[in-house]
Amino acid sequence: MTSTRLIDFKGYVFLAVLVAAVVIVPGLNLLLPADNPFHIPSYLVPLLGKYLTYALLALAVDLVWGYCGILSLGHGAFFALGGYAIGMHLMREIGPRGVYANPELPDFMVFLNLKELPVWWWGFDFFPYAALMVLLVPGALAFVFGWFAFRSRVTGVYLSIITQALTFALLLAFFRNDMIMGGNNGLTDFKDIFGIPLQTQGMRASLFALSALALGLGYLLCRYIVTSNFGKVLVAVRDQESRTRFLGYKVENYKLVVWVISAMMAGVAGALYVPQVGIINPGEFSPANSIEAVIWVAVGGRGTLVGAALGAVLVNFAKTWLTGAFPELWLFALGGLFVVVTLFLPKGIMGLIGSMDSVKAWTTRRRAVAKPAE
Amino acid sequence: MDQKISPELLYLNDVSVVFDGFRALNSLSLTIGEKEMRAIIGPNGAGKTTMMDVITGKTRPTVGTALFDGGVHDLTRLDEATIAGLGIGRKFQTPTVIENHDVETNVELALKADKGPFAKLFSRRTPQVQERIDEILERVRLKNARHRRAGDLSHGQKQWLEIGMLLAQEPKLLLVDEPAAGMTDAETADTAVLLREIAETRSVVVVEHDMIFVRDLDVKVTVLHEGSVLAEGSLDHVSSNERVIEVYLGR
Ligand SMILES: Nc1ncnc2c1ncn2[C@@H]1O[C@H](COP(=O)(O)OP(=O)(O)O)[C@@H](O)[C@H]1O
Ligand SMILES: [Mg+2]
């Protein structure tokens, strides 16, 4: 049984770590001179910020998988769409500073011999519109997809396969030049946002802080959902879908609501990711990305939220290190990790922490029992 | 269709369910009145569970009519959740509770209320709800187990919890599939008392194998065999029916 308080002990620890990260990472970067051993180099700030956006994506995956039993192998699609939405804004911000110096059209459109801005690019120069699209585009896609999938009662591995097909279809679509989304190269060469260059230390620190804030708020939103009556129904759907219907719940509506919320969270994660890595291309839709996100959650502990975020950060630390040190080993390591977790740690790292708790409780109880005998 | 065309609460007429050519129900006709309690007996495979599946929207009949509430609702066109919302509650043959929730939460989930996602997103457990939960737990004798994980209950306790969940739904019609299975004799007798109590205010259909239990209920009995009604009447009446004896005691 999960705890019913909005913020439990693990939640406080998690939020405290986030607050500390917001103070420490930009602080050590901005305030300490570069030769200080505690100085965090500027290139690390967006890297760490990227981990936080992955953690937010992991929360989104855990919300549907851990609490409602929907194993999405396509959440990378929502992440990428959020990223593209903000990427389109960043492209428009470049203005006449592109190589072709076209005041209206981004370089790749000039290259494609376009004369005017396609309709679907309209409005993206206006930040609030782009921000709205970060939520609406993944949300609308999730709504349409979920409407059909959940109503036709597609579940289990079949559902997972069609989520995978969804992201694969988008991968192919975004590769095409006639989508006018930058094709193979995607969107890149961003200059600034709100007139502030993306490469400045201050902007990097702000994006990092914003990612931490989004992760914290995302966590609270998820906790609100899973501790509400709605969340209790979700767990019932996860464990006894058919039984839940006989209790009078329209399961498809519950799935649809949580699915759309989760997709929007993934979209926000993608939107924070893109300005920190400086590029969004169709590769972000690749099925492997979505599968990786599921592995983060499995490693951290499915249905624990905090574990999902932790798993995302730890696995990506390992990935950054391994792809630097032994690039060819990463995929084997990831596969091996998944096998190990599935076989030996069904509840992930959080399960490990939980069993340490119970070992402690057990030993203290034994001590308490042993005492009177002394 | 919003006028009651018959006084019956449940009206099944000529219902057949065919699975791959096999007739699990074969022109079954049956009516249950308001506040009536009915026992349904029949050998394994007679179609008792399938009949409940048809009534609760789990299985669509191949042909036939299934109406509820005096003919107002056509059960063959509605989904499980809608039918549950109309006031048909069901207890499964093998107890199915939400194992990862505690006993209280299981009852809470069943409670009659607005069961839409947004209503649930913005509602918390109020003192009134707690009171309802307490009443029900009292009645099914699970008050002391209220904080236990439902999956950790004994088989008999799970049966009781399911009955509690059924009560929480406040249905007009309760379908109870083999409630005494896995219960001790004392628990079985208690269950009969509880069901009789419930039947004072609502209709109850009980499927049961246990003849002592059926005798305890002391109500009209319908015997199902090969998907249709073989006999109907008091237990003494049907147990003196030659065809029933043939079916039950072997040919
Ligand atoms: N979904 C199904 N598919 C195929 N056959 C089924 C299905 N459900 C039930 N049956 C068959 O229908 C018959 C009636 O089953 P059931 O209603 O469970 O009987 P009872 O509850 O009276 O023991 C059985 O022979 C059973 O094997
Ligand atoms: Mg049966």
Side-chain angles (χ1 to χ4, degrees):
Chain A
M1 277 168 285
T2 47
S3 87
T4 51
R5 275 174 304 146
L6 182 64
I7 308 179
D8 57 5
F9 177 70
K10 283 169 191 151
Y12 279 117
V13 172
F14 177 68
L15 293 174
V17 168
L18 277 184
V19 170
V22 169
V23 175
I24 291 170
V25 173
L28 296 185
N29 171 245
L30 294 173
L31 301 179
L32 290 183
D35 53 3
N36 189 299
F38 291 106
H39 174 78
I40 292 185
S42 289
Y43 78 88
L44 260 187
V45 176
L47 183 68
L48 296 173
K50 182 177 91 170
Y51 294 161
L52 296 183
T53 65
Y54 283 154
L56 183 57
L57 173 60
L59 281 186
V61 171
D62 196 25
L63 182 63
V64 290
W65 185 35
Y67 293 89
C68 194
I70 305 169
L71 173 55
S72 170
L73 297 180
H75 255 52
F78 304 127
F79 181 86
L81 286 172
Y84 265 100
I86 215 69
M88 289 163 86
H89 175 69
L90 295 172
M91 290 307 271
R92 301 287 286 129
E93 280 249 346
I94 298 171
R97 288 169 291 171
V99 176
Y100 296 107
N102 187 310
E104 185 63 17
L105 301 181
D107 277 353
F108 79 91
M109 293 188 197
V110 179
F111 188 75
L112 290 173
N113 281 323
L114 256 60
K115 295 288 162 270
E116 51 193 47
L117 202 64
V119 181
W120 55 95
W121 278 76
W122 290 5
F124 275 96
D125 50 333
F126 183 51
F127 178 80
Y129 176 81
L132 191 66
M133 288 302 131
V134 164
L135 292 172
L136 283 191
V137 173
L141 177 69
F143 184 86
V144 172
F145 177 91
W147 176 273
F148 290 107
F150 302 142
R151 214 146 282 265
S152 18
R153 301 197 180 178
V154 182
T155 55
V157 70
Y158 300 101
L159 186 74
S160 301
I161 289 170
I162 59 171
T163 58
Q164 181 97 117
L166 172 78
T167 196
F168 190 63
L170 285 167
L171 169 77
L172 297 180
F174 274 74
F175 260 126
R176 297 168 60 95
N177 278 327
D178 48 16
M179 279 279 287
I180 319 190
M181 295 298 286
N184 198 3
N185 300 320
L187 309 176
T188 188
D189 295 330
F190 308 134
K191 299 274 186 280
D192 48 31
I193 188 163
F194 300 130
I196 305 164
L198 288 167
Q199 307 306 332
T200 58
Q201 277 185 317
M203 181 45 90
R204 285 178 164 181
S206 310
L207 286 169
F208 177 86
L210 213 56
S211 304
L213 180 71
L215 180 57
L217 291 177
Y219 172 75
L220 288 175
L221 174 69
C222 289
R223 278 300 291 180
Y224 177 83
I225 290 170
V226 303
T227 58
S228 71
N229 286 334
F230 179 91
K232 294 173 188 169
V233 178
L234 287 188
V235 169
V237 170
R238 181 192 71 191
D239 293 353
Q240 291 281 355
E241 175 163 341
S242 166
R243 181 76 180 92
T244 310
R245 292 183 198 275
F246 292 108
L247 290 177
Y249 294 99
K250 294 214 185 250
V251 167
E252 56 274 23
N253 293 348
Y254 277 79
K255 286 184 175 176
L256 190 60
V257 170
V258 76
W259 177 250
V260 169
I261 293 174
S262 171
M264 288 176 161
M265 281 176 60
V268 172
L272 286 162
Y273 167 86
V274 166
Q276 298 189 83
V277 298
I279 182 167
I280 172 82
N281 63 30
E284 294 298 334
F285 286 106
S286 95
N289 283 22
S290 297
I291 293 172
E292 257 186 57
V294 168
I295 295 177
W296 308 335
V297 176
V299 168
R302 178 188 169 198
T304 62
L305 298 177
V306 171
L310 186 67
V313 173
L314 290 182
V315 173
N316 280 292
F317 259 120
K319 181 178 184 176
T320 304
W321 175 72
L322 256 184
T323 46
F326 316 97
E328 61 288 343
L329 283 186
W330 168 243
L331 274 181
F332 294 102
L334 190 67
L337 186 65
F338 189 61
V339 172
V340 167
V341 166
T342 316
L343 290 181
F344 302 110
L345 279 179
K347 288 178 186 160
I349 295 169
M350 292 311 272
L352 205 61
I353 295 173
S355 56
M356 265 150 56
D357 279 354
S358 49
V359 168
K360 226 185 291 163
W362 183 71
T363 47
T364 43
R365 215 180 315 130
R366 273 178 58 100
R367 245 178 271 133
V369 171
K371 239 177 207 147
E374 289 174 355
Chain B
M1 281 267 289
D2 49 357
Q3 214 177 345
K4 297 197 177 188
I5 55 168
S6 102
E8 306 295 353
L9 184 65
L10 179 71
Y11 175 86
L12 299 183
N13 189 38
D14 222 4
V15 173
S16 294
V17 171
V18 183
F19 294 118
D20 297 326
F22 173 77
R23 288 186 169 263
L25 291 183
N26 188 6
S27 297
L28 174 73
S29 298
L30 181 85
T31 59
I32 306 290
E34 302 263 4
K35 296 183 194 171
E36 180 186 348
M37 168 134 82
R38 177 77 58 90
I40 308 236
I41 60 174
N44 263 329
K48 306 180 296 291
T49 301
T50 306
M51 180 195 79
M52 293 200 169
D53 288 345
V54 167
I55 299 170
T56 54
K58 188 179 182 192
T59 301
R60 298 262 173 258
T62 315
V63 288
T65 318
L67 302 175
F68 184 61
D69 216 359
V72 177
H73 304 287
D74 180 352
L75 298 177
T76 62
R77 297 160 149 276
L78 304 173
D79 69 2
E80 302 95 317
T82 311
I83 291 174
L86 292 177
I88 298 183
R90 172 171 192 183
K91 196 202 88 56
F92 286 79
Q93 192 167 341
T94 43
T96 37
V97 294
I98 318 297
E99 308 226 326
N100 281 313
H101 277 318
D102 64 7
V103 169
E104 278 194 338
T105 306
N106 269 275
V107 174
E108 183 181 23
L109 283 174
L111 279 179
K112 187 176 179 175
D114 182 345
K115 287 182 172 167
F118 295 106
K120 289 287 166 191
L121 205 45
F122 301 112
S123 71
R124 300 252 152 182
R125 191 183 291 175
T126 60
Q128 291 91 312
V129 167
Q130 187 65 52
E131 215 169 281
R132 281 290 291 137
I133 296 173
D134 290 350
E135 261 171 48
I136 286 159
L137 290 181
E138 180 87 50
R139 207 154 169 208
V140 294
R141 295 167 203 178
L142 285 172
K143 244 185 150 163
N144 293 329
R146 62 192 318 151
H147 294 306
R148 285 181 61 194
R149 191 177 161 274
D152 297 339
L153 298 178
S154 73
H155 186 82
Q157 282 176 315
K158 282 186 192 168
Q159 297 271 38
W160 281 88
L161 177 55
E162 269 222 85
I163 295 173
M165 289 165 77
L166 209 46
L167 286 176
Q169 284 180 261
E170 297 178 33
K172 291 181 192 158
L173 172 65
L174 287 80
L175 305 174
V176 192
D177 204 349
E178 304 202 15
M183 283 191 172
T184 63
D185 288 351
E187 283 172 336
T188 304
D190 279 348
T191 307
V193 171
L194 180 66
L195 288 177
R196 282 228 302 273
E197 225 174 275
I198 294 168
E200 285 166 18
T201 52
R202 29 192 120 233
S203 305
V204 181
V205 173
V206 189
V207 163
E208 190 47 73
H209 276 303
D210 186 335
M211 280 306 159
I212 301 167
F213 180 82
V214 175
R215 193 165 291 285
D216 277 353
L217 289 179
D218 189 27
V219 293
K220 183 170 168 184
V221 175
T222 297
V223 186
L224 282 196
H225 177 54
E226 290 177 353
S228 38
V229 175
L230 186 67
E232 213 163 63
S234 71
L235 184 59
D236 291 325
H237 173 80
V238 298
S239 43
S240 61
N241 180 310
E242 266 177 32
R243 295 204 49 213
V244 174
I245 294 170
E246 201 179 303
V247 165
Y248 261 95
L249 302 179
R251 31 235 88 173

